[in-house]
Amino acid sequence: GAVVSQHPSRVICKSGTSVKIECRSLDFQATTMFWYRQFPKQSLMLMATSNEGSKATYEQGVEKDKFLINHASLTLSTLTVTSAHPEDSSFYICSASGQHLNYEKLFFGSGTQLSVL
Amino acid sequence: DAKTTQPPSMDCAEGRAANLPCNHSTISGNEYVYWYRQIHSQGPQYIIHGLKNNETNEMASLIITEDRKSSTLILPHATLRDTAVYYCIVASGYSTLTFGKGTMLLVSP
């Protein structure tokens, strides 16, 4: 099946620094990418939806200036956590779908565990 | 609003069939039933989906009741590697997936 690669898998950073997470679709063109956040023992919460070449749509309560999303190409989307704080520590997961929004074709990355000290 | 209801946890013996139920009494006519699973510290993995007919693939079978208000995911011969959180999601083709709390399936030797 199609592969979504997410990098890094784990990152530890100091409070106040910025962290960039990459999400790549390796063998298909991802017109839409989704970013989720998951706190321990909780379910995935959608943060934002990004379409290639346009601004991301953020879910209510998600600060767009803090969580910068760039989807400049059909195979790459990035999430930058700016001025990270300990409460931003979480498991971040991206997913991607192909040209036709068919959820059989929604593939997820392996996730990034962010720990802010 | 939760669109699906699943038991928080289930146990299954290795080699036996695991039957995971899901209630979705408010499902609308254009919504599919999707099942994903998440193994600890990994991204979710697609399992199967269906509209109203029963479906089977290499991973599992999906049984949807005639009134579509509930469904059951069947793993015919559970292995230890099937231990995961299983999410039942209802969604139309043009909406985003909303994950509930899922069912934690523990497969034991």
Side-chain angles (χ1 to χ4, degrees):
Chain A
V3 177
V4 174
S5 174
Q6 190 171 339
H7 179 79
S9 58
R10 182 178 294 273
V11 58
I12 301 171
C13 69
K14 293 183 179 179
S15 183
T17 61
S18 295
V19 175
K20 179 184 285 188
I21 302 170
E22 292 187 350
C23 181
R24 295 180 184 272
S25 57
L26 297 186
D27 54 358
F28 67 101
Q29 294 185 328
T31 52
T32 305
M33 286 188 170
F34 304 89
W35 287 95
Y36 293 83
R37 179 169 54 183
Q38 185 175 32
F39 292 107
K41 299 190 184 300
Q42 295 187 23
S43 191
L44 285 77
M45 297 297 296
L46 180 66
M47 298 176 67
T49 302
S50 72
N51 292 296
E52 184 265 338
S54 61
K55 290 184 178 180
T57 302
Y58 291 81
E59 295 299 303
Q60 189 174 9
V62 178
E63 300 175 59
K64 62 180 181 180
D65 295 329
K66 181 170 184 61
F67 298 99
L68 302 179
I69 292 172
N70 184 286
H71 191 170
S73 79
L74 284 171
T75 59
L76 174 64
S77 176
T78 60
L79 168 68
T80 301
V81 183
T82 62
S83 186
H85 291 286
E87 58 266 30
D88 298 323
S89 298
S90 185
F91 191 55
Y92 292 87
I93 309 168
C94 70
S95 67
S97 68
Q99 186 139 10
H100 302 289
L101 200 58
N102 174 351
Y103 287 103
E104 182 176 359
K105 301 297 183 186
L106 188 61
F107 298 97
F108 286 81
S110 55
T112 297
Q113 182 63 53
L114 171 63
S115 299
V116 184
L117 304 178
Chain B
D1 291 337
K3 283 191 167 184
T4 64
T5 304
Q6 298 178 254
S9 63
M10 292 184 67
D11 295 326
C12 179
E14 187 178 22
R16 303 296 293 271
N19 299 301
L20 290 86
C22 180
N23 286 323
H24 32 79
S25 58
T26 61
I27 190 170
S28 58
N30 65 339
E31 288 183 316
Y32 290 77
V33 180
Y34 293 86
W35 283 84
Y36 281 77
R37 72 179 182 185
Q38 185 179 25
I39 296 171
H40 183 61
S41 297
Q42 297 183 24
Q45 176 190 22
Y46 166 84
I47 302 173
I48 199 167
H49 78 290
L51 184 62
K52 55 182 179 180
N53 296 324
N54 297 337
E55 302 287 344
T56 296
N57 62 20
E58 65 278 5
M59 290 183 68
S61 294
L62 174 60
I63 308 298
I64 303 174
T65 58
E66 191 170 345
D67 63 8
R68 302 211 321 128
K69 293 186 177 181
S70 65
S71 61
T72 301
L73 178 74
I74 301 173
L75 307 179
H77 304 287
T79 70
L80 300 180
R81 288 177 292 181
D82 291 324
T83 291
V85 178
Y86 287 76
Y87 297 100
C88 169
I89 303 168
V90 295
S92 63
Y94 295 93
S95 65
T96 54
L97 296 181
T98 300
F99 287 80
K101 296 184 178 181
T103 296
M104 174 66 215
L105 175 67
L106 176 63
V107 182
S108 303

